[in-house]
Amino acid sequence: MASGERDVSEVALKGASAPAAASASRAAVLRRLRLTDTIFHGLTRGASLAVLALLSGVIIALVIGAAPALSTFGFGFLFDESWNPVTERFGALAPIFGTLVTSFIAMLIAVPVGLMVAFFLTELCPKVLRRPIGIAIELLAGIPSIIYGIWGLFVFAPFMQEHVQPLFINTFANVPVLSTIFAGPPYGIGMFTAGLILAIMVLPFVTSISRDVFDAVPPVLKEAAYGVGCTTWEVFRYVVLPFTRVGVIGGFMLGLGRALGETMAVTFVIGNAHHISASLFAPGTTISASIANEFTEAVGDLYTSSLVALGLILFFITFCVLAMARYMLMRLQRQGGK
């Protein structure tokens, strides 16, 4: 009887200790998870602060480096076309003009072509060709920019000089405004050629992002549009584009950022001349091309500071473009929510 009572008491004690052990095990697991979560939050916060610190450091370095040039020339630095290292007279107007013009040409060509290619791949292309064409377009984004520059200088520029530029010059010779835009001897190189090279480089980004957002359009919307008699163009214009406008604008801004900051390919084909011309066939320069060409040869603090000031201007232009893109996307999202 005593032995039976001990067995019962032992079972009762074990049964009472089991919940306590389980509770202790859960507490240990929760402490470990809480510690892991705290470490993860710390790492993410540290990464965010590191990005902000890095960005702040870049801005501060650019401002400090550009201070001598900006203090010497003032705001006239932005509106002066001259660039003479001998007399130490520098102005940023020609590089700014070349940067904006070449980027405008690139986006004017790349965006419509990229949208049409993306729609063709998602709606009209046979399935057999859809994947090869998509891979070929994405491979264009992986080609180094210096390869584009070499190809542009030795292949594309001679073709432009012999065929394209003479055709434009002769065709628009007697047309007002256009005769000025497409005037001058056919050098082959120039802002127009640089813009075309940039368009080829930007095209994969616009096409890839547009194709991805076009794939996200619900098929029922397109089927309903076709069902009421819409043509392919009407489906694209009134269904696909409105539904994907946020993503399309994002792809446009991504391509524009690439065009604004491109260096090597533009340096090869733009001509690197610090002057402003109304003709797109005339040689010019961009901010990034000017920095790449002259930074290693810059002698004197004022010369170096002027190049750093160009970098600060390019940073400011890029920041303005991104801020404008963010504002447009927020407005579109609010309109979509309503």
Side-chain angles (χ1 to χ4, degrees), residues 27 37 44 46 55 65 80 91 94 106 109 116 124 140 145 148-149 152 163 187-188 204 219 225 243 264 316:
D37 196 47
T44 54
L55 180 61
D80 191 356
I109 297 173
M116 289 188 290
L124 305 175
L140 290 175
S145 59
Y148 281 108
H163 303 286
Y187 294 111
F243 189 87
M264 293 308 300
F316 180 75

Side-chain angles (χ1 to χ4, degrees), residues 137-158:
I137 293 174
E138 292 174 354
L139 285 177
L140 290 175
I143 299 177
S145 59
I146 193 171
I147 302 301
Y148 281 108
I150 294 174
W151 174 79
L153 180 63
F154 294 106
V155 178
F156 192 64

Side-chain angles (χ1 to χ4, degrees), residues 167-189:
L167 176 64
F168 276 70
I169 293 172
N170 296 328
T171 302
F172 300 112
N174 299 319
V175 180
V177 181
L178 293 180
S179 61
T180 303
I181 295 176
F182 300 107
Y187 294 111
I189 58 175

